[in-house]
Amino acid sequence: MAAGEPRDLGSYYFRFLPQRTFQCLSTQETTSRLRQWSMLGRVAAQAFGFDQTFQAYRKDDFVMAFFKDPNVIPNLKLLSDSSGQWITLGSEVKKIEATNVPCTQLSMSFFHRLYDENIVRDDGHIIKCLDSFCDPFPISDELRKVLLVEDSEKYEIFSQADREEFLFCLFKHLCLGGALCQYEDVLNPYLETTKLIYKDLVSVRKNPQTKKIQITSSIFKVTAYDSAGMCYPSTKSHEQTFSYFLVDPIRRHVHVLYHCYGVGEMS
């Protein structure tokens, strides 16, 4: 903004919040799991504050303002496709897509049906199946079949609406992992890690009238484009490359959960 230029009323201003750390990604247990799933060093969470009342119907303006903000540009992390190093946005964003991601689930009982439908045994072991392939993912158990194979018999135990829920998206991303993912034989590590990240990123409050816990975050899956094409979360599209913006309208914070598919840190 040039000196003397009037401030655009209703435009958002952002600030980076480096002091807001996300324990969910840094505990020893999570770190070793992310390493096993080939996601370590390729997943990040960051927090930013903003100064105006958030209005969900103006989400596109909000996200565009975010990418153009001088406090965001040098701080928003993404992985370079060429070097594999963490970089910041190097080009001007011309267009964004922000897709609403519903977030209504307050309990991990959402996943109980995996036991009820014989995807997972009572002792937590994921039931194996004949090997097949759903590009680029190998399928050797019933869990990945339910996640990926639309014409499999148990696919509909999660409805289309269930599959759009942020809790489901997060769980699926962790189950599918990175390029050299070593899959779990039991369900628990996936559920535990999903719960930790979900609780750390999603904002809730107790409704003063009903005393019930309610989710206050608005969530968007975000893609940005510069003059050459897609530039964020990556220049290459992949089901496991994503950026979710979780907006807390009460605290005026936005949490960014980012992952770029590839080979994670090994050692």
Side-chain angles (χ1 to χ4, degrees):
M1 189 180 285
E5 203 176 307
R7 171 174 165 151
D8 176 13
L9 281 175
S11 72
Y12 295 95
Y13 286 74
F14 293 85
R15 65 190 188 284
F16 180 43
L17 303 173
Q19 71 280 9
R20 167 65 167 105
T21 55
F22 294 89
Q23 294 302 156
C24 63
L25 293 176
S26 56
T27 67
Q28 202 173 347
E29 198 161 27
T30 305
T31 306
S32 76
R33 284 171 183 168
L34 291 172
R35 180 180 288 115
Q36 184 181 332
W37 303 336
S38 198
M39 296 172 87
L40 189 63
R42 304 191 69 86
V43 63
Q46 294 183 284
F48 295 84
F50 56 92
D51 67 332
Q52 301 271 321
T53 305
F54 173 74
Q55 290 156 325
Y57 72 91
R58 287 187 60 215
K59 69 176 168 58
D60 290 3
D61 296 339
F62 177 88
V63 173
M64 193 54 144
F66 179 86
F67 280 110
K68 292 196 174 292
D69 194 286
N71 294 318
V72 170
I73 293 165
N75 289 304
L76 183 68
K77 300 202 313 189
L78 65 153
L79 275 170
S80 157
D81 285 322
S82 47
S83 71
Q85 300 297 310
W86 287 100
I87 55 169
T88 51
L89 276 172
S91 54
E92 191 190 347
V93 169
K94 304 281 192 195
K95 185 181 95 152
I96 59 97
E97 280 168 11
T99 311
N100 277 313
V101 178
C103 186
T104 64
Q105 296 300 319
L106 284 165
S107 158
M108 296 301 284
S109 61
F110 181 76
F111 295 108
H112 282 178
R113 65 195 92 172
L114 293 171
Y115 293 93
D116 303 339
E117 297 288 342
N118 289 331
I119 310 297
V120 180
R121 292 200 175 89
D122 290 343
D123 65 2
H125 276 79
I126 300 163
I127 293 172
K128 300 290 181 200
C129 67
L130 288 171
D131 287 357
S132 61
F133 205 65
C134 183
D135 193 46
F137 305 105
I139 294 177
S140 54
D141 61 46
E142 294 291 338
L143 176 60
R144 272 171 286 159
K145 225 157 125 181
V146 159
L147 295 177
L148 293 166
V149 185
E150 290 186 30
D151 56 3
S152 66
E153 56 188 291
K154 306 242 173 104
Y155 188 83
E156 61 273 4
I157 68 168
F158 291 100
S159 67
Q160 195 46 49
D162 290 334
R163 288 169 182 274
E164 287 166 8
E165 280 282 336
F166 181 60
L167 185 66
F168 184 92
C169 294
L170 190 53
F171 173 75
K172 182 177 175 181
H173 286 312
L174 294 174
C175 291
L176 296 180
L180 293 179
C181 181
Q182 299 169 306
Y183 297 101
E184 300 285 346
D185 293 322
V186 291
L187 185 65
N188 206 37
Y190 295 133
L191 290 182
E192 278 184 0
T193 313
T194 301
K195 184 179 178 178
L196 275 174
I197 297 174
Y198 193 77
K199 279 183 76 169
D200 208 359
L201 291 174
V202 175
S203 305
V204 295
R205 67 162 184 183
K206 193 179 263 189
N207 181 307
Q209 275 78 46
T210 65
K211 302 287 182 258
K212 284 194 174 131
I213 296 289
Q214 59 185 148
I215 291 169
T216 54
S217 297
S218 289
I219 304 183
F220 314 108
K221 194 173 186 181
V222 172
T223 312
Y225 302 83
D226 60 16
S227 50
M230 189 164 92
C231 62
Y232 180 90
S234 167
T235 55
K236 295 193 194 87
S237 185
H238 193 284
E239 188 175 351
Q240 285 292 86
T241 295
F242 56 79
S243 181
Y244 292 99
F245 285 23
L246 296 93
V247 182
D248 178 340
I250 297 165
R251 288 195 193 92
R252 293 189 179 174
H253 284 177
V254 54
H255 296 157
V256 178
L257 178 67
Y258 173 97
H259 176 251
C260 183
Y261 180 79
V263 178
E265 287 172 20
M266 304 286 209
S267 54

